[in-house]
C-alpha cells in the first residue's frame, strides 16, 4: 500500500504563487503516472495537470501557462507550481498516482485564493 502525503496549500492573494508537493512511500514511484486534481463543494473533481512516467505533461485549459507539474523520482515527489493564482483556483487539491490497477489518492490540501 502506497502512502501519500501532500503539502504546500494555504491562503494566498490573487496573483500570488504556491507550490504543492506530494511525496509517496515505496520504491516504485518512477513507474507511476501522476496527477493533481481539484474539487470544490458541489462540483466534480477535475484534472488540473498530469505527468506520465516518461515525464510528458498535460494541463487543463484553465491553468495552462500558469501551472507547472514536475516530478523528482529520486525523492518520490511530484510538484505543482502554481503562479498567477486566481480566486477560481480555490479548491481542495488532491494528488493521484496510477500504475496498472494501482490507483492511490492523497488526503487533499486546501488552496484558497482571496484578498
Amino acid at each position: 500500500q502506497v502512502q501519500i502525503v501532500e503539502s504546500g496549500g494555504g491562503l494566498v492573494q490573487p496573483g500570488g504563487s504556491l507550490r504543492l508537493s506530494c511525496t509517496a512511500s515505496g520504491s516504485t514511484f518512477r513507474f507511476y503516472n501522476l496527477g493533481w486534481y481539484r474539487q470544490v463543494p458541489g462540483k466534480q473533481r477535475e484534472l488540473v495537470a498530469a505527468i506520465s512516467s516518461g515525464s510528458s505533461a498535460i494541463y487543463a485549459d484553465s491553468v495552462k501557462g500558469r501551472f507547472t507539474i514536475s516530478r523528482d523520482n529520486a525523492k518520490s515527489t511530484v510538484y505543482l507550481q502554481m503562479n498567477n493564482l486566481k480566486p477560481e483556483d480555490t479548491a481542495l487539491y488532491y494528488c493521484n498516482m496510477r500504475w496498472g490497477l494501482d490507483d492511490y489518492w492523497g488526503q487533499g490540501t486546501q488552496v484558497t485564493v482571496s484578498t
Side-chain angles (χ1 to χ4, degrees):
Q1 183 75 13
V2 173
Q3 303 298 319
I4 295 175
V5 177
E6 298 152 333
S7 61
L11 173 64
V12 64
Q13 293 187 345
S17 298
L18 284 174
R19 188 176 80 157
L20 305 183
S21 299
C22 168
T23 300
S25 63
S27 60
T28 57
F29 181 86
R30 65 190 181 279
F31 298 119
Y32 282 83
N33 297 311
L34 310 169
W36 286 98
Y37 290 74
R38 65 188 180 189
Q39 189 170 22
V40 297
K43 292 190 176 182
Q44 286 190 331
R45 192 173 297 186
E46 65 172 0
L47 176 67
V48 176
I51 186 166
S52 70
S53 57
S55 294
S56 295
I58 59 171
Y59 298 90
D61 287 343
S62 60
V63 307
K64 282 181 181 176
R66 300 188 297 123
F67 291 11
T68 302
I69 189 171
S70 61
R71 64 189 297 162
D72 185 338
N73 290 335
K75 296 182 178 180
S76 297
T77 300
V78 58
Y79 303 98
L80 185 67
Q81 177 66 43
M82 305 185 294
N83 297 328
N84 190 22
L85 282 159
K86 303 177 180 180
E88 52 263 43
D89 295 319
T90 296
L92 189 59
Y93 283 71
Y94 295 92
C95 175
N96 174 253
M97 297 177 56
R98 292 181 184 171
W99 178 37
L101 297 179
D102 291 350
D103 188 2
Y104 300 108
W105 291 89
Q107 78 286 356
T109 185
Q110 179 67 37
V111 172
T112 302
V113 185
S114 175
T115 56

